[in-house]
């Protein structure tokens, strides 16, 4: 069996300081948008279990175990989101320091 032949790829990327700052800020904004969508989905998950998501007469009657399970799930997800938010805050602080 022969070794894989990996070509020498040396792309030339020409971006200036302002482009870098704008790309960093855009990446932070996109991550924040993604987290907002996850938070919204968690809210809809709770609404579904409670039967308030739609106007249909197909209401659910969750028992205590269902509510505790969904609560644990949402809490776990929000804890991960909080950690990500702290990282994004640090990233934004570093970008702001670059700007100054």
């Amino acid at each position: 069996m022969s070794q894989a032949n990996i070509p020498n790829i040396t792309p030339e990327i020409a971006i200036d300081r302002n482009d870098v700052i704008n790309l960093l800020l855009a990446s932070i904004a996109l991550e924040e948008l993604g987290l907002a969508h996850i938070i919204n989905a968690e809210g809809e998950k709770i609404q579904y279990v409670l039967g308030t998501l739609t106007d249909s007469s197909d209401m659910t009657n969750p028992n205590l175990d269902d509510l505790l399970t969904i609560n644990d799930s949402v809490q776990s997800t929000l804890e991960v989101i909080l950690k990500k938010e702290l990282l994004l805050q640090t990233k934004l602080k570093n970008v702001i320091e670059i700007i100054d």
Side-chain angles (χ1 to χ4, degrees):
M1 207 178 219
S2 64
Q3 290 286 347
N5 185 10
I6 301 173
N8 183 14
I9 301 173
T10 54
E12 292 184 26
I13 301 172
I15 56 176
D16 62 9
R17 185 175 189 271
N18 287 334
D19 291 336
V20 170
I21 291 170
N22 288 335
L23 287 170
L24 289 170
L25 291 173
S27 74
I28 294 169
L30 289 172
E31 287 185 71
E32 290 286 358
L33 182 62
L35 293 176
H37 284 289
I38 294 170
I39 291 169
N40 185 60
E42 292 301 302
E44 288 181 356
K45 185 190 303 183
I46 293 169
Q47 288 177 319
Y48 178 79
V49 169
L50 296 176
T52 60
L53 185 60
T54 61
D55 293 333
S56 70
S57 61
D58 194 22
M59 299 296 253
T60 61
N61 291 319
N63 59 33
L64 182 59
D65 286 338
D66 294 336
L67 295 175
L68 291 174
T69 300
I70 198 73
N71 184 63
D72 288 343
S73 172
V74 171
Q75 182 177 355
S76 175
T77 302
L78 291 178
E79 286 173 359
V80 172
I81 290 172
L82 175 63
K83 291 174 187 175
K84 183 66 176 176
E85 284 289 349
L86 292 172
L87 291 173
L88 287 174
Q89 181 183 18
T90 302
K91 186 176 177 180
L92 181 60
K93 181 181 174 189
N94 291 337
V95 172
I96 290 172
E97 288 175 1
I98 292 172
I99 295 172
D100 291 339

